[in-house]
C-alpha cells in the first residue's frame, strides 16, 4: 500500500470565530475519535497531519493542506463547514471521509459530499478505508462496524495529538478520556438509548492515568463516557489504584441515579470537581433521577435536595435540562425550573431544546411520521439555536416566551450573584460568571429574543416554524452565509438544505435493506468497498 498523506480534522466549532469564550474553551471540546483515527492511520504506516479546529486556525495553512485522504469528525452543527472543507479538498484531488455524530445521524445526506461516511468505527473499518482510498461519487460509501469497538488506543498513543490540542487552551486544559461506551438507560431522544453499555478495559484506564501523571503536573481529565460511573466500584477502584488522592481533577457527565451520597463521598475523595447530571424533565424520565413516579413540584424538591447534597461534595455542578418534551405543557415546567434554580443557587443550568438529529434515536421516526420535524439547516442544530421539533403542547410564540423568561431568570444578575456567593473555589465561581456573561449565554438569549421577534413580525418565519413551508427564511440563510465567511462559496450546491424526513422516507422505500443504518441509531452495517470483497 502506498504511504498516504492524511489530514485528520476535529471540528470543535462550526465557523471561524474570535470570541473570548471560544478561545478559552473550544480546545477542551476536542473529541477522542479523531485522535484515535490518527493513531490507527499512523499504525498503518501513513503520514498524518492532525488539526483540532477551534475556529481560530488559519484555514489555508492548517486545514487545506495538500492531502491524499481527509478524515473529518463533526457534530451536526459543523456539517456545513465540513461539507465546504470536503469540497475544497476533493477539488484538489483528495478522497474524504466523515465520522462522528453527524455521520451517525445523517449518513445519507453526508454521503452526497464525502467519499465515505462512517458509523461505528473500529480499526478494521479504518483499515478498509485506507486500503480502498478511492473516490466514491456522486454518492459516498457508508461503512461501519456492527458494534462499538472493544478497545481504543491508549492516552500514551494519542498523546502526540492531545498535546498540541491542549496547547491551544490558554488556562483550563482538559484531557479527554473514556471508560465506557453505550448506556443502560433508554431516554427516547438519545443517540445511545439503544446502544448496549460496554466498559472499556480497566487495566488500560489505570495505565492511561499513570501515564498522564508523568506528562502533566496536575492533570484535569474530562470523561466522555455517555453516562459515567455505571460500574461505579470498578471505575473508582481503577482510579484509586492509579492516582494518589488529589493528583488529578476529574469532570464527568452522570445520572442522578448513580450519585448517591456514598458515591459522592468517593467521588470527592478521588478528585471529581465537575459533575453534569441530566435532570431533563419534571414530568418524565424519573428513572434517571431516582425519583420514580414523582413528578412536578415533588420531583423539583427531591432533585433540589439531591443536587444541593452534590454541591457539598463536588464544587462545580451543571444541571442539564431538555425543553420542549411532549410531557411538558403550559407554564408549569418552566416555572418549576425557576423554582429549582431558587432552591439550588449553586448549580449552573444548561438548557437544550428538544432536537431530532436525523436517525439518532427511534423517537425521531415517530416525530417525522407525525410531521413534527422541521427543515432547519444543520448549522442551527446544536440543541440551542433552533428546535427542529414542533412542540406538542405549545404554539411557537408561547414556547419562546417561556424559554426567554426562564433564560433571563437563570442568567440574571441576581442569579449570577447568588451562584457567586455559594460556589466554593475560584474556578467554579468565576467559571460560572464567565459562562453567564459569555457569548455562550447572552449570545443565546439574544438569539432567542431575535427569533421571538421574527415570529411576530416576519410571516415567512412563522410559516416555516409551523411546518407550512420548507422555504428557508432569509434570516437563517444570511446567518449561515455570515458565519461561514470565506467558506460560504465552497458549500456545495444544495448543501445548505437536507431532507428532514429522510429517515421516514428511507423506511417507506425499504431502502434500509440496501444501505445505511438498520434502525434508529443502531450501527451502520459493514458495506465493504468493491475492491475488498
Ligand atoms: C461526551 C459528549 C460531549 C462532550 C465531548 C464532546 C466531544 N467533542 O466529543 C461535551 C460535554 C463537550 C459535549 C458537548 C456537546 N455536545 Co455532546 N455528547 C457527548 C456524548 C454524551 C458522548 C459522545 C462520545 O464521545 N461517545 C464516545 C464515542 C467513542 O462514541 P460515538 O460518539 O458513538 O462515536 C463512534 C462513531 O460515531 C465514530 N466516530 C466518532 N467520532 C469520529 C470521528 C472520526 C474522524 C471518525 C472517522 C469516526 C468517528 O467512532 C465512534 C466509535 O464507534 C453524546 C451522547 C451519547 N450518548 O453518545 C453527546 C452528543 C454527541 N452531543 C451532542 C451535542 C448536541 C453537543 C453540543 C452541541 C451540546 C451543546 N448545545 O453545547 C456540544 C457540542 C460540542 C462541540 N462543539 O464539540 C449530540 C450530537 C448530535 C449531533 N448529531 O450533532 C449528542 C449525540 C447528544 C444528543 N443530543 O443526542 N458532548
Ligand atoms: S441521555 Fe444519558 S442516560 Fe439517557 S440514554 Fe442517553 S446517555 Fe444514557
Amino acid at each position: 500500500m502506498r504511504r498516504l498523506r492524511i489530514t485528520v480534522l476535529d471540528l470543535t466549532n462550526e465557523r471561524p470565530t474570535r470570541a473570548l469564550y471560544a478561545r478559552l474553551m473550544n480546545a477542551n471540546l476536542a473529541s477522542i475519535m479523531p485522535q484515535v483515527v490518527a493513531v490507527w492511520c499512523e499504525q498503518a504506516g501513513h503520514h498524518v497531519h492532525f488539526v483540532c479546529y477551534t475556529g481560530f486556525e488559519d484555514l489555508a495553512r492548517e486545514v487545506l493542506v495538500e492531502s491524499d485522504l481527509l478524515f473529518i469528525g463533526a457534530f451536526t452543527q459543523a456539517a456545513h463547514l465540513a461539507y465546504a472543507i470536503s469540497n475544497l479538498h476533493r477539488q484538489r484531488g483528495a478522497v474524504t471521509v466523515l465520522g462522528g455524530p453527524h455521520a451517525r445521524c445523517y449518513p445519507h445526506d453526508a454521503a452526497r459530499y464525502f467519499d465515505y461516511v462512517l458509523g461505528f468505527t473500529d480499526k478494521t473499518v479504518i483499515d478498509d478505508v485506507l486500503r480502498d482510498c478511492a473516490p466514491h461519487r456522486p454518492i459516498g460509501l457508508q461503512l461501519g462496524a456492527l458494534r462499538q469497538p472493544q478497545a481504543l488506543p491508549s492516552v500514551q498513543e494519542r498523546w502526540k495529538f492531545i498535546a498540541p490540542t491542549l496547547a491551544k487552551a490558554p488556562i483550563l486544559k482538559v484531557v479527554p478520556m473514556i471508560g465506557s461506551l453505550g448506556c443502560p438507560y433508554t431516554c427516547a431522544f438519545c443517540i445511545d438509548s439503544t446502544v448496549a453499555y460496554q466498559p472499556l478495559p480497566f487495566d488500560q484506564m489505570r495505565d492511561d492515568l499513570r501515564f498522564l501523571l508523568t506528562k502533566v503536573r496536575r492533570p484535569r481529565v474530562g470523561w466522555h463516557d455517555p453516562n459515567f460511573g455505571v460500574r461505579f466500584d470498578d471505575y473508582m477502584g481503577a482510579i484509586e489504584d492509579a492516582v494518589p488522592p488529589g493528583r488529578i481533577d476529574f469532570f464527568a457527565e452522570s445520572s442522578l441515579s448513580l450519585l448517591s451520597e456514598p458515591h459522592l463521598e468517593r467521588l470527592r475523595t478521588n478528585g471529581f470537581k465537575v459533575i453534569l447530571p441530566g435532570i431533563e424533565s419534571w414530568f418524565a424520565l424519573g428513572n434517571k433521577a431516582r425519583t420514580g413516579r414523582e413528578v412536578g413540584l415533588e420531583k423539583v424538591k427531591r432533585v433540589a435536595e439531591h443536587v444541593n447534597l452534590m454541591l457539598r461534595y463536588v464544587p462545580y455542578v451543571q444541571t442539564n435540562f431538555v425543553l420542549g418534551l411532549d410531557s411538558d405543557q403550559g407554564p408549569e415546567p418552566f416555572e418549576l425550573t425557576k423554582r429549582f434554580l431558587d432552591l439550588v443557587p449553586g448549580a449552573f443550568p444548561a438548557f437544550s431544546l428538544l432536537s431530532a438529529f436525523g436517525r439518532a434515536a427511534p423517537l425521531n421516526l415517530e416525530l417525522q411520521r407525525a410531521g413534527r420535524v422541521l427543515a432547519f439547516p444543520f448549522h442551527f442544530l446544536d440543541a440551542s439555536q433552533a428546535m427542529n421539533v414542533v412542540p406538542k403542547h405549545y404554539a411557537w410564540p408561547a414556547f419562546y416566551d417561556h424559554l426567554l423568561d426562564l433564560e433571563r431568570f437563570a442568567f440574571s444578575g441576581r442569579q449570577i450573584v447568588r451562584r457567586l456567593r455559594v460556589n466554593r473555589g475560584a474556578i467554579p465561581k468565576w467559571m460560572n460568571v464567565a459562562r453567564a456573561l459569555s457569548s455562550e449565554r447572552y449570545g443565546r438569549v439574544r438569539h432567542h429574543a431575535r427569533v421571538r421577534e421574527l415570529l411576530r413580525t416576519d410571516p415567512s418565519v412563522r410559516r416555516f416554524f409551523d411546518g407550512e413551508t420548507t422555504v428557508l427564511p432569509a434570516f437563517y440563510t444570511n446567518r449561515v452565509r455570515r458565519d461561514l465567511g470565506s467558506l460560504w462559496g465552497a458549500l456545495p450546491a444544495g448543501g445548505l438544505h437536507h431532507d428532514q424526513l429522510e429517515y421516514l422516507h428511507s423506511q417507506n422505500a425499504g431502502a434500509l435493506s440496501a444501505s445505511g443504518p438498520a434502525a434508529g441509531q443502531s450501527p451502520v452495517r459493514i458495506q465493504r468497498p468493491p475492491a475488498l470483497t
Side-chain angles (χ1 to χ4, degrees):
M1 202 186 339
R2 77 189 159 110
R3 188 165 196 250
L4 298 170
R5 293 164 305 166
I6 297 177
T7 294
V8 179
L9 197 52
D10 176 8
L11 299 181
T12 70
N13 212 45
E14 71 284 7
R15 62 194 160 105
T17 179
R18 288 286 163 266
L20 177 63
Y21 191 75
R23 169 80 71 191
L24 295 175
M25 287 310 290
N26 279 1
N28 291 318
L29 302 178
S31 299
I32 291 175
M33 279 308 289
Q35 301 167 1
V36 163
V37 169
V39 170
W40 284 336
C41 289
E42 283 200 341
Q43 285 175 352
H46 302 289
H47 176 268
V48 172
H49 166 66
F50 179 88
V51 184
C52 172
Y53 177 78
T54 61
F56 294 88
E57 291 71 10
D58 181 321
L59 285 167
R61 221 163 32 86
E62 295 192 54
V63 174
L64 301 174
V65 297
E66 219 170 294
S67 314
D68 302 308
L69 185 61
L70 168 74
F71 284 92
I72 297 184
F75 281 61
T76 290
Q77 69 199 77
H80 294 135
L81 178 65
Y83 289 0
I85 293 172
S86 170
N87 190 20
L88 290 173
H89 268 274
R90 289 194 345 171
Q91 283 169 13
R92 294 159 185 216
V95 167
T96 64
V97 190
L98 183 74
H102 185 65
R104 262 180 76 186
C105 296
Y106 296 96
H108 285 74
D109 195 76
R112 299 194 291 156
Y113 311 109
F114 284 83
D115 297 296
Y116 303 89
V117 178
L118 306 189
F120 288 155
T121 303
D122 57 17
K123 194 166 190 294
T124 310
V125 171
I126 295 298
D127 284 343
D128 278 354
V129 171
L130 294 174
R131 264 198 304 277
D132 188 53
C133 189
H136 294 280
R137 300 169 193 171
I139 300 296
L141 284 182
Q142 291 176 46
L143 304 181
L146 291 171
R147 56 187 65 82
Q148 291 281 31
Q150 299 298 301
L152 296 170
S154 65
V155 170
Q156 183 164 7
E157 288 168 303
R158 289 193 282 124
W159 188 250
K160 66 182 285 196
F161 308 113
I162 296 175
T165 304
L166 290 185
K168 294 183 179 187
I171 303 169
L172 186 68
K173 296 171 189 288
V174 184
V175 177
M177 283 185 62
I178 189 157
S180 64
L181 297 163
C183 180
Y185 291 88
T186 54
C187 313
F189 56 83
C190 175
I191 195 167
D192 264 350
S193 58
T194 57
V195 180
Y197 174 78
Q198 158 205 327
L200 291 166
F202 288 105
D203 282 344
Q204 180 174 325
M205 189 197 288
R206 287 186 190 86
D207 292 346
D208 280 350
L209 292 167
R210 287 187 186 114
F211 168 79
L212 202 54
L213 284 167
T214 67
K215 286 288 169 192
V216 185
R217 200 172 55 82
R218 194 183 166 84
R220 295 196 165 97
V221 167
W223 292 104
H224 282 199
D225 302 47
N227 195 353
F228 181 85
V230 171
R231 280 183 48 185
F232 191 81
D233 289 333
D234 293 324
Y235 265 83
M236 291 303 126
I239 290 174
E240 284 154 8
D241 287 347
V243 184
R247 283 283 279 111
I248 299 185
D249 290 344
F250 293 107
F251 306 179
E253 241 175 287
S254 190
S255 303
L256 284 173
S257 56
L258 299 173
L259 298 167
S260 62
E261 190 160 11
H263 282 192
L264 288 168
E265 217 166 321
R266 205 159 164 201
L267 287 169
R268 176 174 63 188
T269 311
N270 286 330
F272 280 72
K273 294 288 163 41
V274 178
I275 300 269
L276 295 80
I279 295 173
E280 327 300 12
S281 157
W282 303 120
F283 293 96
L285 302 164
N287 60 334
K288 256 183 97 175
R290 243 188 16 171
T291 50
R293 286 168 198 270
E294 271 174 353
V295 291
L297 188 58
E298 288 313 303
K299 183 169 175 183
V300 171
K301 288 182 185 158
R302 177 79 76 95
V303 173
E305 210 176 294
H306 193 161
V307 177
N308 279 326
L309 175 75
M310 286 178 66
L311 281 158
R312 293 216 291 276
Y313 291 94
V314 177
Y316 192 96
V317 176
Q318 172 183 304
T319 45
N320 293 337
F321 300 90
V322 179
L323 305 180
L325 288 164
D326 284 2
S327 50
D328 290 351
Q329 39 186 318
E332 200 183 354
F334 298 88
E335 292 303 322
L336 288 174
T337 306
K338 284 159 69 179
R339 182 72 190 275
F340 171 81
L341 299 179
D342 259 338
L343 293 171
V344 190
F348 191 90
F351 305 117
S352 292
L353 302 182
L354 178 64
S355 302
F357 288 106
R359 291 163 175 266
L363 173 69
N364 298 359
L365 195 55
E366 276 173 45
L367 292 169
Q368 294 191 8
R369 203 169 276 136
R372 291 177 56 199
V373 178
L374 301 177
F376 277 107
F378 294 138
H379 191 71
F380 302 99
L381 299 189
D382 62 353
S384 160
Q385 294 192 75
M387 170 157 152
N388 70 343
V389 179
V390 178
K392 190 163 184 185
H393 298 297
Y394 298 92
W396 283 111
F399 181 81
Y400 268 84
D401 285 342
H402 291 310
L403 170 66
L404 279 163
D405 178 56
L406 173 60
E407 288 181 324
R408 285 180 176 139
F409 178 89
F411 308 119
S412 62
R414 174 177 174 271
Q415 290 298 113
I416 292 173
V417 171
R418 290 185 79 209
R419 273 192 289 271
L420 189 63
R421 281 213 188 105
V422 301
N423 286 150
R424 289 174 292 121
I427 292 184
K429 275 179 186 295
W430 294 108
M431 185 75 186
N432 277 339
V433 174
R435 288 186 70 181
L437 295 177
S438 73
S439 51
E440 188 197 21
R441 296 295 145 184
Y442 272 155
R444 283 183 195 184
V445 180
R446 237 196 337 262
H447 173 75
H448 291 152
R450 178 84 181 108
V451 171
R452 173 64 186 94
E453 182 59 16
L454 287 170
L455 283 168
R456 195 176 64 78
T457 56
D458 185 340
S460 75
V461 171
R462 186 64 198 269
R463 279 202 301 277
F464 183 83
F465 272 70
D466 285 339
E468 288 167 12
T469 176
T470 52
V471 176
L472 190 63
F475 170 74
Y476 289 100
T477 314
N478 292 339
R479 270 286 308 278
V480 185
R481 184 184 295 129
R482 189 196 73 194
D483 286 355
L484 285 187
S486 61
L487 285 168
W488 168 255
L491 187 65
L496 183 61
H497 304 282
H498 67 278
D499 174 6
Q500 83 281 14
L501 303 180
E502 181 278 328
Y503 188 9
L504 177 65
H505 292 155
S506 66
Q507 294 268 314
N508 291 345
L512 287 177
S513 56
S515 64
Q521 41 57 274
S522 19
V524 182
R525 199 170 337 177
I526 286 213
Q527 183 190 333
R528 292 172 77 81
L532 301 171
T533 48

